[in-house]
Amino acid sequence: MSGPPLHRQLGLTDDELERIREILGRDPNRTELAMYSVMWSEHCSYKSSRVHLGRLPSAGPQVVLGPGENAGVVDIGDGLGVVVRIESHNHPSFVEPYQGAATGVGGILRDILTMGARPIASFDSLRFGLPVAQPGRSDPDGDDTGTAKQRWLVHGVVSGISGYGNAVGVPTVGGEVVFDPTYAGNPLVNVMALGVMPLAHLQRATASGPGNAVLLVGASTGRDGIGGVSVLASAGFDEGEDEKRPSVQVGDPFEEKKLIEACLELFRSGLTVGAQDLGGAGLTCATSETAAGGAGGMDVTLDTVELREPGMEPFEILTSESQERMLVVVEPENVEAALGVCAKWEAPATIIGHVTGSGRLRVGRSGETVCDVPPESLAEGVSYERPMSRPDRITALASRDPHALLPRLGPGVVPGEVLRLMTSPNLSDATWIHRQYDHQLFLNTVVGPGRGDAAVLRVKDTRKAVAVALDGVGRYCRLDPHRGAALAVAEACRNVACVGAVPIAAVDCMNFGNPEKPEVMWEFSAAVDGLREACEELAVPIVGGNVSFYNETSGLDIDPTPVVGVVGLIDPLDGIPAGIGFDGYGDVVFVAGTTYDDLGGSEWAWWNHDVVCGSAPTIDWTAERAHNAFLVDVQKGGLARSVHDVSVGGVAAALCECAVAGSTGAEVELAAWAPDLTMEDALFSETSGRSVLSVPPGVAESVERLAETHGVPLHAVGVVGGDSVLGIPVSDLQEAVTPAW
Amino acid sequence: MTGLVAIPIIPGVNCEHDVAHAVRIAGGRSAFIHHTDRALPAETGAVYIPGGFAYGDYLRAGAIARFTPVVEAVARAAADGMPVLGVCNGFQVLCEAGLLPGALARNVGVRFLCQDVHVRLETAGTPASHRLKAGNVLRIPINHGEGCFTAPAEVLDLLETRNQILVRYCAADGTVDPADPVSNPNGSLRAIAGVTNPSGNVAGMMPHPERACEAILGSADGRPIVESLVHAAQSAPAPQSAGAGGR
């Protein structure tokens, strides 16, 4: 046989093979080599990122379980915990958008389930290339990264989320969709899920108690997804992505639904001592991690694993990423009862082994030992301190002032510039997406997708509600990954505050290029520092995260894109929080916060004028905290008719969005919120820490006093009413934001 | 003792907890009935078949679910006059089981739709509608990919003359226009959103009344429907006949 040696074909380096030899004191066999290759992949072992992730703040009085578990757990009082997790499914979604996104949803739900909680909501952060050409630019249609391909990807991913999420019975309650050419060859599909549970019901992912039985519950094991973590998730794309399609798993929401019900009943009736879902690296990961975290050993037989097809090799069974499977550990006297629960829910279950104190993971097939290794050597993986170097690109971009390249705007051209901005796909109305998602199941959704800046879910039988927002700002990160990452945290926290919630925890999904490039590694490290700074300043611990490297196609890396999900708490919830739409004629329109000349990385500079350079927007932590606290008090007091954060597109876009959402215009005095700035800075600057509010005239004074108490600058800029805003008819805006694609 | 609202759990349904919650706040009691059960509990006074994706909807929505023992038990009870309401997937199951006329086809726009709609009550006086008056307009969410009600024209005519149309999609002011894609988003024939059997004790509808029982969730317009069923379950076991009321 020709070609590179087996270990390299599997993605292991020569050094890594040497380490495996040292661990085993012999050459690994084929099966073992395959198992190490998946467990030591970037996706499973975090080998490039681990040395940096320790810098993230993860402590806080509310944190029950932080990073390193299947999901983070946050105490919300009354003995209840919020279970939360985020994960990427970028590569599978590019290869096969429907199944890639569908299995992304399925996988994250099992992570929540593994903790013992019913998953009650999911959220998506999606990024694609441009679905329509930029104004004045030719459409690279027909090209593999052209608009037609992007539209196909968006529709496929949305259908996959809808098809799986709706059928499995977990509502998709919020998220974000972003379009930028940087993602044309590598879309991002990040999925976040959430559960609420009594803390007393927490499950652990450990296999303790030698002699206990190990059950494999759920779908049968097939050849789908073999090597998914090493082939797809831990390498970039080049020509021939179609050949990787067999590495994409196929989802079956019906199997997952039965698995959820069976597992919840197993957990609730106390029949299990541990559980671990099968995701990336399949059975190899689930057995080695539970054994390493428990009694230290496990004997497994592949003879009783239900297979989808005959003739599967041991390494295929062990690394298959067939979906909808769960490993549970059960005391011998409970095995019969546990199998009975599984049968009741029609979730197939077989005994595939037992826990030992041997310190070895031993796997047998037809009486032959095919694997005998220390489980922690698989589970702990490897870790590298990769070289880093600051990209020259960042210095070059920072040295160019965007103002020098952008036009000066007189009042006469404002309506045209604003209307053009609102045709950006990043400001488009996402109703067509949200309508395809069941966003109401479980009767918790108080603020659903598109109604507010964050989703709000009540917690039944309490007066509490949780709010969730997901944000990422790739273009800022291109200019400055440190500040960009910090701005993502700030925006997500602000969005949660906009619906009246106090941010209590965050999860992060780090989407980056090839970590073997020192420039990408530097960006990653800088982004981790930015997250740390923001989380410390805003007192939101990171309780879980995911790293997705190798987001590159044909050697071109994506903009560094940390995506941040923030969970906030509203306690008590006294009614539906004000949404984003203008609604009351005569209401006073306020802009809260200070505006600086931040056009670097702004939507207007990029979409209208193709300028991306300078510094990422200003962030002032004292002002940011004060503004969030002010928003929480405004919502708590029921003082505002509408609250909307200022972000993409600046105050101009925020005003337009308020008008469109409420089908009501406003008389606004141009630039009244920033009289010292130029027209373009006032309208389109994306300085952090700002919002647009509309307030009934009777309470305007109370809101002004509240702002003063918090030290938040508040500018009265106009009055709600009429059928236009910034000189543009609301109907024209409605048309501009309705996607034609 | 009677008064229990039985909620059949066919694998893949997912609205069972929501239905139980709505029944509770409507003042009723409910119990989940496993799909392998061959009989309903003796105290059952009504059946509410929840929405979801029974058996994954893989063959056709409701096509496999109709063969489950619990659906056969529901069919027998329905023949004896038991009030039965099927919502969304539950409606599809009842159509597949032959307990209700018509069929639910793919939405005309092909895509799944989760949104609020308005429906006009057409037939009052049934176990699922006796707390309402004909002409009442309710804002209730839909959540389906296959909700386009279809039947041969002569069947539709018959449904109209026999007062078997329970609810129709309409505009906020109650205007029904089957050709309007905004008010009739799935393209149902004659804008039909729900029907009953000839005697009125079996009803099905695509909109989810259990999702519209509390103001904090945006609408409480569905509550009278849940209350109607709860009340019917608590009343004498003899079924209320349809047709009375009408419009």
Side-chain angles (χ1 to χ4, degrees), chain B residues 93-154:
Chain B
V93 170
L94 291 172
C95 290
E96 286 286 337
L99 294 176
L100 287 175
L104 285 314
R106 192 89 200 144
N107 296 345
V108 286
V110 178
R111 287 178 186 162
F112 191 96
L113 293 173
C114 178
Q115 62 179 76
D116 279 355
V117 296
H118 289 92
V119 291
R120 190 177 75 190
L121 191 82
E122 304 291 285
T123 306
T126 76
S129 63
H130 62 89
R131 294 269 173 127
L132 289 159
K133 291 194 176 73
N136 282 165
V137 174
L138 315 173
R139 188 160 59 85
I140 303 182
I142 54 169
N143 184 65
H144 59 246
E146 297 175 23
C148 174
F149 186 80
T150 49
E154 56 273 23

Side-chain angles (χ1 to χ4, degrees), chain A residues 321-402:
Chain A
E321 294 186 5
S322 287
Q323 298 289 292
E324 293 94 25
R325 297 180 298 161
M326 181 80 79
L327 194 80
V328 296
V329 181
V330 178
E331 288 173 357
E333 61 270 28
N334 289 329
V335 167
E336 206 172 317
L339 290 173
V341 168
C342 296
K344 173 185 165 190
W345 292 105
E346 300 186 358
T350 55
I351 301 167
I352 62 155
H354 59 272
V355 179
T356 69
S358 66
R360 309 291 290 185
L361 173 63
R362 280 191 294 248
V363 183
R365 176 110 193 257
S366 312
E368 216 176 295
T369 300
V370 296
C371 160
D372 184 352
V373 304
E376 67 278 2
S377 70
L378 285 168
E380 283 163 14
V382 282
S383 181
Y384 296 131
E385 201 158 331
R386 298 211 187 263
M388 302 193 289
S389 101
R390 188 174 200 268
D392 296 336
R393 174 178 52 80
I394 286 186
T395 317
L397 285 172
S399 67
R400 284 163 58 202
D401 180 358

Side-chain angles (χ1 to χ4, degrees), chain A residues 118 155 166-167 169 252-254 257 344 346 432 435-443 458 460 575-576, chain B residues 11 13-14 17-18 21 34-35 53 55-56 58 111-115 141 143 210-211 214-217:
Chain A
R118 179 184 287 279
H155 286 278
N166 297 351
D252 182 344
F254 179 51
K257 170 68 176 166
K344 173 185 165 190
E346 300 186 358
W432 73 275
R435 284 210 304 193
Q436 295 184 61
Y437 300 154
D438 181 348
H439 51 262
Q440 302 168 326
L441 191 72
F442 300 134
L443 307 181
R458 68 168 174 181
K460 279 206 255 335
I576 303 176
Chain B
V13 307
N14 56 34
H17 298 286
D18 298 0
H21 180 80
H34 202 62
H35 68 105
F53 290 73
Y55 287 98
Y58 284 150
R111 287 178 186 162
F112 191 96
L113 293 173
C114 178
Q115 62 179 76
N143 184 65
E210 81 278 2
R211 290 189 179 195
E214 293 167 89
I216 189 82
L217 301 178

